[in-house]
Amino acid sequence: MSPLVAASILLSITLLVSGLAKAGGREARERTQDAMRSLRLPARSLHPLAAAAVPIAEIAAALALWIPWVPLQIVLSAAILALMLAYLVIIARALTFPEAVTCSCFGTLGSPTVSRTTLLRNILLTVLGVIGLAAAARGDLAAAVTAHTGAWILWVLALVAATVLTALALGGTRAEAAPADERTAGAAAGSVRTHEADGIADATDDDELEYEREEIPFGMLVERVDGEERYVSVRETLSRAAQLMVWVTPGCGPCERTVDQMRGWSERLAPHVQLRAMLRQPFDTFSEEFLERTGEHASVDVEMNIATSLRSAGAPAAMLLGADGLTAGGPVFGGPAVAEFVEQVIAQIEEAELPEDGRETAKTGEPGENEGVAETSGL
């Protein structure tokens, strides 16, 4: 049997692993969509469809490649080579972005960050695609299945064993940590609880637990007003309204999904709470399109001093700061947890239904008729 067949076997194993890793249900599809956003792929309206179709196509190609019919094998080998070339171009383009990009090319497996190693991997896969197409055109694949069945099976077993041993030896490259939404679900659920002493019902149905509010430490940020940048202290922002700070980074899929929701959240939170996108880098490192999506209160967390002091370093992450100078919820981490947290803050505001004369009190943090609601929700 021709050694060229080994290339097709390796590609089949790669596509099968990749397809199965992406086909893990709704969360897997969301990760794939996050990767597409991070990689800045066009036609965003088609991302959900692509996220569902790509794993099916990869698995189907990996299996159908071994149907012993030369014309079909040539067509499939050419399609696989085209796919590898497309992945190579996408990864090479991502390396030109100013920020690191996550791709989730193999679902939950492997490193999520695009690097030169990722590029090298895709170059090797493309070379395998070329060899695989040559093997199909020569009829080697069909012959391997029909005339050399025993040898073909041994090749498959040997290469699968090599793949498994390599994966075990590397031990994976993702940090061993619980998913962000699991690690922070409790914080998100408890972050907008009301004080029992105030006589106001808990905003959640969980057992009554009191969120321990702490004094907000000093911190500085940079904001833009009419195109001018200026330094502002956290406490100055709290004199305007309670602040819901959300740390995001472009190139991070969950962050991109969070940014897409910010304008809607901001409108629903106003005027009681200002939603403030917190950025890690100066404004001039971001595109105007990205800054437009983050909303009018986007700010730069200078050297991440605020995130560090509030123990909210991460992206996406969120924390609610009360206008009275005390923390009011969070921190929470991860796209789903941040979205749930924001919705809970909005729900508490809507449930409280502050009257018009109480809104100014909520914005300034001064005692008033609705002091209980303003204090416990950080408004």
Side-chain angles (χ1 to χ4, degrees):
M1 183 175 68
S2 171
L4 297 181
V5 175
S8 296
I9 296 174
L10 284 170
L11 280 173
S12 293
I13 294 173
T14 301
L15 288 172
L16 193 60
V17 170
S18 176
L20 291 174
K22 294 190 191 103
R26 182 179 61 83
E27 291 185 3
R29 289 194 297 273
E30 284 185 352
R31 281 193 296 269
T32 303
Q33 291 179 59
D34 288 343
M36 292 176 180
R37 292 188 184 95
S38 300
L39 293 166
R40 303 183 188 178
L41 299 185
R44 292 184 64 173
S45 62
L46 297 179
H47 287 182
L49 178 61
V54 166
I56 296 174
E58 289 180 339
I59 295 170
L63 298 176
L65 183 62
W66 299 102
I67 297 174
W69 185 36
V70 174
L72 176 63
Q73 290 176 328
I74 292 174
V75 170
L76 288 175
S77 295
I80 290 171
L81 174 58
L83 183 64
M84 294 301 113
L85 283 169
Y87 287 164
L88 177 60
V89 171
I90 290 170
I91 293 300
R93 175 174 169 267
L95 288 176
T96 66
F97 298 164
E99 69 282 338
V101 174
T102 56
C103 73
S104 297
C105 303
F106 289 93
T108 57
L109 304 176
S111 172
T113 305
V114 173
S115 64
R116 292 182 179 179
T117 302
T118 312
L119 181 64
L120 176 60
R121 179 197 67 197
N122 283 70
I123 291 173
L124 292 175
L125 288 173
T126 302
V127 172
L128 289 177
V130 173
I131 298 173
L133 179 58
R138 283 161 47 103
D140 292 344
L141 299 189
V145 177
T146 56
H148 305 285
T149 304
W152 178 73
I153 292 175
L154 289 176
W155 268 99
V156 172
L157 292 176
L159 290 171
V160 168
T163 303
V164 172
L165 287 173
T166 301
L168 292 175
L170 293 175
T173 51
R174 283 184 188 259
E176 293 295 330
D181 52 341
E182 291 181 10
R183 287 185 279 116
T184 60
S191 57
V192 292
R193 301 181 195 280
T194 58
H195 290 271
E196 185 177 359
D198 295 324
I200 301 174
D202 195 326
T204 72
D205 294 326
D206 299 334
D207 295 334
E208 297 228 355
L209 293 173
E210 184 174 312
Y211 177 77
E212 294 185 9
R213 306 185 67 197
E214 301 176 357
E215 184 175 353
I216 299 169
F218 177 81
M220 294 294 295
L221 54 85
V222 178
E223 64 179 10
R224 290 202 307 182
V225 180
D226 297 328
E228 297 290 329
E229 298 182 13
R230 67 187 189 100
Y231 283 88
V232 181
S233 70
V234 173
R235 295 189 181 168
E236 181 179 340
T237 67
L238 294 174
S239 67
R240 310 169 193 168
Q243 301 290 312
L244 180 49
M245 294 185 169
V246 181
W247 284 264
V248 291
T249 302
C252 152
C255 292
E256 292 287 345
R257 181 149 38 96
T258 300
V259 169
D260 285 342
Q261 303 176 78
M262 280 190 167
R263 284 199 164 278
W265 286 339
S266 182
E267 292 174 1
R268 296 168 65 193
L269 287 164
H272 313 299
V273 177
Q274 281 186 354
L275 180 67
R276 190 174 292 271
M278 302 294 286
L279 310 175
R280 298 168 179 262
Q281 299 171 324
F283 287 111
D284 58 11
T285 62
F286 302 102
S287 67
E288 285 301 322
E289 182 271 340
F290 177 79
L291 294 175
E292 178 70 20
R293 289 164 56 209
T294 58
E296 60 179 316
H297 300 299
S299 304
V300 177
D301 188 353
V302 183
E303 296 185 0
M304 294 297 285
N305 73 104
I306 301 171
T308 301
S309 62
L310 294 174
R311 301 182 299 278
S312 58
M319 192 156 189
L320 179 63
L321 308 183
D324 55 2
L326 300 178
T327 60
V332 297
F333 305 90
V338 168
E340 180 183 2
F341 177 64
V342 176
E343 290 296 337
Q344 287 178 341
V345 174
I346 292 172
Q348 189 181 27
I349 292 173
E350 292 175 346
E351 184 178 347
E353 293 182 346
L354 294 176
E356 192 66 30
D357 59 358
R359 292 185 180 180
E360 192 62 29
T361 297
K363 293 171 67 176
T364 61
E366 298 173 359
E369 180 181 353
N370 292 287
E371 181 178 359
V373 174
E375 176 185 342
T376 60
S377 63
L379 306 185

